[in-house]
Amino acid sequence: EIPIATKPVKRSLRSYLANIVAFVLLTAQTAVVVLTMRYSRLVHSDVSSEPSFAITVAVMFAEIGKCCVGIVVTLVDLNKQKNASAIALCRSLFAEVFNDSQTVMKMSVPAILYAIQNSLLFTALSNLDSAFYQILYQLKTFTAAILAVLMLGRVYTKYQWLSFVCLALGATLANLSIVDDKSSVGEEANSVLGVICVLCATLTSGFCGVFMEKQLKNSRQSLYIKNIQLGMFGAVGCVVNSYFTGDLQNIIIPYGLMHGFTNITWFVVAMNIVGGYLVAWIIKYVENIAKAFASTTALILIVAGSYFFFETQLTSLFFVGLLLVLMGNMFFNHKVLCE
């Protein structure tokens, strides 16, 4: 009876450790990408008066990269199973990706929501003070949790709900610790429109994450196939986003698609490809809300990195935010820690 009793424990421990590793890697990846991107833009501004690279183009290449990684890995896996010709393998790959048109079209939902969300956030930032914007946008943690309850039937403990409060407050304070007082908007700004846009953005963010979790966990297809499908629609979504963010008009058309790209930019693209697969892993094998914890923990690292590498001035709010984020992570894992 001992092997029967201990095997589930070992599998559970192994799974828990794998999830922790994925969480740490995603947190580090997010922080490294943001800090590297900021560094590349600062370097560019020192040597050229022209605008830096278009972020939407970098994200588009990351989406294409996710597709390429998924295609290569899937072809290798199919070759091990069938050992067929190249043409037969390509046909099998096509069948794997497009065998169910309804499922494929569902993967367009995140790309569409991402485009809408970017447009909403751009409008919100144009009409709201940065501090107020940061406070409101942290509601996305609660919308993701509420939608997980409604759409997935998930049940959270009182400690986990408390962790969401700590997480939102911690992220808000960490952001406010470096907010520039000069970031106020003009008199022509429409604060009501800004509030509506940021609230809608929190809904699209929460729904997109929960929808993705439902699609990934209810699917027999591999993460690589899902990332191929996501990458296709994501690349198209980046083209749409380039118009709303102004990248198309201000950078791509006047200077060219790959204007401002350097080795550092390609490093950011590669890191975003890795991040895409880490996010998919966490959503599929843990839950969507864990992505929010990784993002907020990464925010603390980003603010700290800005202080050490870019001499950004911080206030005492940062340390309060750090404490709240740590408390949030502890409260969310309260049950695991007790066991």
Side-chain angles (χ1 to χ4, degrees):
E1 296 181 358
I2 294 178
I4 299 176
T6 55
K7 281 184 179 179
V9 176
K10 289 182 179 179
R11 282 199 299 268
S12 177
L13 179 60
R14 188 181 298 116
S15 176
Y16 179 71
L17 292 176
N19 295 339
I20 291 295
V21 171
F23 176 87
V24 171
L25 289 175
L26 179 59
T27 301
Q29 180 269 342
T30 304
V32 169
V33 165
V34 174
L35 291 173
T36 305
M37 190 176 295
R38 182 177 178 187
Y39 171 76
S40 67
R41 286 180 170 271
L42 286 175
V43 171
H44 181 85
S45 63
D46 289 339
V47 298
S48 176
S49 58
E50 295 180 352
S52 182
F53 66 90
I55 294 178
T56 49
V57 174
V59 176
M60 181 187 71
F61 280 124
E63 296 294 335
I64 295 173
K66 286 196 296 184
C67 285
C68 293
V69 170
I71 289 171
V72 171
V73 173
T74 304
L75 284 175
V76 170
D77 186 53
L78 289 172
N79 186 51
K80 290 180 179 178
Q81 296 176 16
K82 302 181 179 181
N83 195 23
S85 64
I87 296 177
L89 288 176
C90 289
R91 287 175 179 172
S92 298
L93 174 65
F94 186 87
E96 286 280 346
V97 177
F98 299 103
N99 62 345
D100 186 348
S101 58
Q102 185 177 3
T103 301
V104 174
M105 291 309 298
K106 284 181 180 179
M107 301 311 289
S108 68
V109 173
I112 295 172
L113 289 177
Y114 181 70
I116 294 173
Q117 181 182 330
N118 268 5
S119 178
L120 290 169
L121 292 178
F122 183 79
T123 305
L125 276 170
S126 302
N127 289 279
L128 289 177
D129 177 82
S130 294
F132 190 40
Y133 165 84
Q134 294 292 352
I135 293 170
L136 282 179
Y137 193 49
Q138 297 312 316
L139 293 174
K140 63 183 180 180
T141 304
F142 294 99
T143 58
I146 293 171
L147 288 171
V149 172
L150 296 176
M151 296 174 61
L152 303 175
R154 184 152 293 140
V155 177
Y156 294 112
T157 66
K158 60 182 179 180
Y159 288 103
Q160 289 175 324
W161 284 109
L162 181 59
S163 74
F164 302 149
V165 176
C166 292
L167 199 71
L169 289 176
T172 301
L173 293 178
N175 272 304
L176 292 179
S177 69
I178 57 172
V179 167
D180 190 348
D181 293 332
K182 298 179 181 179
S183 59
S184 58
V185 295
E187 294 180 359
E188 71 280 0
N190 187 336
S191 59
V192 175
L193 176 63
V195 169
I196 293 173
C197 285
V198 75
L199 290 178
C200 289
T202 62
L203 287 173
T204 57
S205 174
F207 179 82
C208 184
V210 174
F211 181 85
M212 275 297 304
E213 182 176 354
K214 190 172 184 178
Q215 295 304 309
L216 290 175
K217 288 187 174 179
N218 293 340
S219 174
R220 295 182 179 178
Q221 292 179 318
S222 70
L223 285 180
Y224 297 103
I225 295 295
K226 285 299 183 185
N227 270 285
I228 294 172
Q229 297 167 344
L230 278 171
M232 292 188 304
F233 294 112
V236 176
C238 288
V239 176
V240 177
N241 279 331
S242 67
Y243 172 79
F244 289 111
T245 60
D247 284 350
L248 181 65
Q249 305 92 314
N250 301 325
I251 301 176
I252 299 173
I253 294 178
Y255 298 100
L257 182 68
M258 297 177 62
H259 168 75
F261 269 64
T262 64
N263 291 335
I264 298 176
T265 313
W266 287 114
F267 173 76
V268 171
V269 171
M271 290 297 292
N272 274 321
I273 295 172
V274 174
Y277 279 95
L278 285 173
V279 168
W281 169 277
I282 287 178
I283 290 178
K284 182 176 178 66
Y285 295 108
V286 191
E287 61 174 301
N288 173 61
I289 204 70
K291 184 181 68 173
F293 279 86
S295 299
T296 307
T297 307
L299 173 62
I300 297 297
L301 297 178
I302 291 166
V303 175
S306 298
Y307 173 78
F308 286 108
F309 299 119
F310 307 116
E311 299 181 353
T312 302
Q313 296 300 312
L314 302 180
T315 67
S316 57
L317 290 177
F318 169 75
F319 301 100
V320 180
L322 171 61
L323 179 61
L324 286 170
V325 169
L326 293 176
M327 289 174 60
N329 279 277
M330 183 184 69
F331 285 139
F332 187 80
N333 294 287
H334 175 265
K335 185 177 179 181
V336 175
L337 293 173
C338 288
E339 292 175 353

